Amino acid sequence: MTTMTTTSENTTAPAAPEPTPAKATGLLPLPLTTARALILGGGALTVVSCFLSWTWTAAFPGDLTVYGYPGGLQWQVLVTGLLTVLFSLSSYGVKGTRWLTPAGADAALKFSALASFATAWYTIVAISVQLGGPINLEPGGAVVGVATLLTLIGTLALPFERPELHPVDPEDDSWSQFRHKAANGWQTFKVSFAAGQARAVRPLPSAVEILIITGILATGLGIFTYGIGTEYDELFIGFLITAGLGFAALTKSGLIQQATQLTAKHQNLTIAGAFIAAALFPFTQTDDQYATIGVYILIFATVALGLNIVVGLAGLLDLGYVAFLGVGAYAAALVSGAPTSPLGIHLPFWAAVLVGAGASLIFGVLIGAPTLRLRGDYLAIVTLGFGEIFRITMMNTDGTSGPDITNGSNGIASIPNLNIFGFDFGMEHSIAGFTIGRFANYFFLMLLIMAVVVLVFRRSGNSRIGRAWVAIREDETAALAMGINGFRVKLIAFALGASLAGVAGTVQAHVTYTVTPEQYLFAGPIPPNSAFLLAAVVLGGMGTMSGPLVGAALLFLIPNKLQFMGDYQLLAFGLALILLMRFRPEGIIANRRNQLEFHENAEAPATLAKAGA
């Protein structure tokens, strides 16, 4: 018995040292009470300054000369100023505001103050540049500049918790490194859990949760309508600054996470509500101008969701996916009664959809069958080649270099508008007193097709084949060892994604009237193209349903609004993507697996703790 005790004592591994306590530090040496008072006072002064005149002339867009009523960019500063005030009150523990910061107020305050500062000073600089110097600022412009600067200084003095982590010795064995990483992750989790535990709230009634989801969807519709309807360039740039930093502030406060959990709990209701909110969009417009952008966003988003099956679920890097959109568009154009079509066929819309989807499906199988045995970079190169082969083939089938099928670079023009059961999509219609134009008609049609695509994505992703796609994506060798037919599973993903792109291409052919090879490049300034489609999936969140939809909307809207920048458009857009990928690599809307992959130390211990409970 004594021998056994001695052996156990001798073989026991030395205990890991206790982590040192977290240190509270701030970038500026101000007393905490002074910093918080500065933030609250600066935020309140920012709100007041939005009701003052910022310049003396209406020559600056938005007319910032009116006292008592904000205009243009003043509204954006007002929103971020109010957000700063509310977060500041929550940090003081004011009753009725604690729910605003379930993850803590300090980090959220930093981003909301930065949003106010960036938008306000961007406006001040724009006024000075356009009108000939800061002499054109009224007292309100000076007040908002000072107020936002003081607020930002106050947030820089706020403490932030950083746990002291144990350094990992690269010469340690794997077990010692694992123990160090586990201790570091657990320490980080304890700090974040302690901050959130004090703010735990009781579950809400289902009726209240449904009302909150309705408010979230209404807010999303309002933000999208405001962004797409910005009347001048300065307002849209301010909108990007406000929306980006405001989203970061809401994320740091924990509200985005709570909203995500709430919508996931009522997923079917949220999806139905999202489609209802999208259907209301054309009724918010006074003409058909912005409905045009809306229908192109839906086409782009539908194709991105199909690509998400290939890239996000199955893990197949496809760089020529836009070719399947072109196959569907050309196939539908050839059979839709266009006078320039050599076939001379005019099929009804449902038949044209079947032809477009079927043609893309066939091409997906023909391309996938010999190439899907490749992996990684080799597969990407082959798919990139297919995209270029498709475009060059459409250029050469003009009756000179090849058979007369597609009219070469002239494409197939004068594609007639759809007419379904007597409803002419090219005519204006009156619904409940609202005049709905041509692009709004196609918007509603594309919304119905989007609903079908979302249903297919959800059902396939949750099915046995969907789980096989995820297994192939995570580790193809292990999936094959478990008995999954990798080639067949990948071919199904390739074919299904291609057919969904073909359906979207059918509608695109009728919306644009003309189908030409130049519309289906690998990369270009305006989507859809293969590079933007892939960026939409990665930016929005691979493997999720709503991620590519959000990513596609942003990637189509922003380049259209930034055309005034000319040659610097892609530079600014690329820098924005780099920053977003740096600070949110898992995408705007990420699934749990991607969050654990990119934030392993901070999230994994929490997951393990929940699993153990």
Side-chain angles (χ1 to χ4, degrees):
M1 189 69 176
T2 305
T3 304
M4 293 178 61
T5 304
T6 304
T7 304
S8 174
E9 291 175 354
N10 292 336
T11 58
T12 302
E18 288 293 328
T20 56
K23 294 182 179 179
T25 59
L27 296 180
L28 296 179
L30 290 177
L32 187 57
T33 54
T34 303
R36 295 198 182 279
L38 200 61
I39 295 170
L40 181 58
L45 189 58
T46 300
V47 172
V48 172
S49 67
C50 295
F51 294 89
L52 303 176
S53 173
W54 287 10
T55 183
W56 63 274
T57 175
F60 186 81
D63 192 4
L64 309 184
T65 64
V66 181
Y67 282 87
Y69 185 80
L73 288 163
Q74 287 176 326
W75 280 108
Q76 299 175 10
V77 179
L78 176 62
V79 170
T80 54
L82 286 173
L83 202 61
T84 303
V85 171
L86 291 175
F87 285 158
S88 181
L89 293 175
S90 179
S91 68
Y92 276 107
V94 176
K95 186 177 181 180
T97 61
R98 294 293 296 274
W99 62 272
L100 289 170
T101 55
D106 288 353
L109 277 171
K110 293 174 183 178
F111 277 99
S112 63
L114 181 59
S116 298
F117 174 81
T119 309
W121 278 86
Y122 163 73
T123 307
I124 292 172
V125 172
I127 291 174
S128 302
V129 171
Q130 290 192 20
L131 301 183
I135 191 65
N136 294 280
L137 292 173
E138 285 287 290
V143 170
V144 73
V146 173
T148 54
L149 180 60
L150 292 177
T151 307
L152 185 64
I153 291 174
T155 58
L156 294 179
L158 290 177
F160 56 92
E161 300 290 339
R162 279 189 178 175
E164 296 277 346
L165 303 181
H166 300 301
V168 177
D169 189 349
E171 296 182 359
D172 286 347
D173 56 16
S174 58
W175 171 246
S176 299
Q177 291 189 18
F178 171 78
R179 288 195 300 109
H180 281 304
K181 291 181 179 179
N184 291 341
W186 179 245
Q187 175 64 15
T188 306
F189 167 64
K190 286 195 297 182
V191 172
S192 60
F193 180 76
Q197 190 177 32
R199 294 170 172 81
V201 295
R202 290 177 295 180
L204 297 173
S206 297
V208 176
E209 291 180 345
I210 293 173
L211 287 176
I212 293 175
I213 292 175
T214 304
I216 293 172
L217 295 175
T219 303
L221 175 62
I223 293 174
F224 178 77
T225 303
Y226 179 86
I228 203 174
T230 49
E231 300 175 353
Y232 48 92
D233 303 332
E234 294 85 357
L235 186 63
F236 183 73
I237 294 179
F239 169 75
L240 290 181
I241 297 173
T242 303
L245 295 177
F247 179 80
L250 294 175
T251 301
K252 291 296 184 180
S253 71
L255 286 177
I256 297 296
Q257 183 180 3
Q258 282 196 343
T260 303
Q261 294 173 353
L262 202 59
T263 54
K265 180 180 178 181
H266 303 278
Q267 189 176 44
N268 294 330
L269 180 65
T270 303
I271 294 174
F275 276 100
I276 293 174
L280 294 176
F281 168 71
F283 297 101
T284 64
Q285 307 301 309
T286 56
D287 54 40
D288 216 27
Q289 176 184 0
Y290 297 118
T292 306
I293 300 179
V295 69
Y296 283 119
I297 287 176
L298 286 182
I299 293 173
F300 188 25
T302 301
V303 182
L305 197 58
L307 180 60
N308 195 29
I309 294 177
V310 180
V311 177
L313 294 182
L316 307 174
L317 183 56
D318 189 348
L319 298 182
Y321 188 76
V322 75
F324 297 120
L325 176 68
V327 170
Y330 266 100
L334 289 171
V335 300
S336 294
T340 54
S341 170
L343 302 183
I345 301 176
H346 191 179
L347 298 179
F349 174 67
W350 63 267
V353 169
L354 293 179
V355 170
S360 296
L361 175 64
I362 292 172
F363 271 88
V365 173
L366 292 178
I367 299 301
T371 60
L372 286 179
R373 301 185 187 279
L374 302 174
R375 298 186 186 182
D377 299 337
Y378 299 100
L379 177 62
I381 293 173
V382 170
T383 55
L384 176 61
F386 165 67
E388 289 301 302
I389 290 172
F390 165 77
R391 184 179 61 84
I392 295 173
T393 302
M394 295 301 102
M395 290 280 291
N396 292 332
T397 51
D398 57 355
T400 301
S401 303
D404 185 11
I405 300 177
T406 64
N407 297 322
S409 59
N410 294 324
I412 301 176
S414 302
I415 301 172
N417 283 302
L418 291 176
N419 192 308
I420 302 177
F421 301 116
F423 186 89
D424 191 346
F425 281 74
M427 302 291 294
E428 290 186 350
H429 300 274
S430 181
I431 301 177
F434 293 91
T435 300
I436 303 300
R438 176 180 183 270
F439 286 101
N441 295 331
Y442 282 106
F443 181 89
F444 288 122
L445 175 63
M446 202 62 223
L447 200 60
L448 292 176
I449 294 177
M450 171 71 75
V452 175
V453 173
V454 167
L455 178 63
V456 171
F457 182 86
R458 287 192 66 196
R459 299 296 295 176
S460 59
N462 295 329
S463 65
R464 179 180 179 182
I465 191 70
R467 293 191 292 272
W469 288 337
V470 174
I472 290 289
R473 181 192 69 193
E474 295 300 316
D475 192 331
E476 184 172 352
T477 303
L480 296 177
M482 295 301 294
I484 296 176
N485 189 332
F487 174 75
R488 181 176 65 87
V489 167
K490 291 191 291 185
L491 187 61
I492 291 174
F494 216 69
L496 181 58
S499 60
L500 294 180
V503 173
T506 303
V507 180
Q508 186 204 28
H510 292 85
V511 171
T512 58
Y513 286 127
T514 303
V515 179
T516 59
E518 289 77 11
Q519 296 174 344
Y520 309 105
L521 301 171
F522 167 72
I526 300 295
N529 52 64
S530 293
F532 270 85
L533 287 169
L534 185 60
V537 174
V538 177
L539 174 67
M542 290 193 299
T544 64
M545 182 182 64
S546 54
L549 306 183
V550 175
L554 292 177
L555 288 182
F556 192 92
L557 177 63
I558 294 176
N560 272 276
K561 290 289 188 176
L562 294 182
Q563 291 185 16
F564 67 93
M565 298 185 67
D567 296 338
Y568 296 98
Q569 173 190 349
L570 287 179
L571 174 62
F573 190 61
L575 290 176
L577 290 181
I578 291 173
L579 291 175
L580 186 59
M581 288 293 97
R582 165 61 182 85
F583 293 104
R584 197 171 177 83
E586 69 272 23
I588 297 175
I589 301 176
N591 58 21
R592 187 65 175 170
R593 182 180 288 106
N594 288 339
Q595 288 178 335
L596 292 177
E597 179 181 353
F598 289 104
H599 306 284
E600 181 179 359
N601 285 341
E603 299 289 345
T607 307
L608 295 176
K610 292 179 181 178

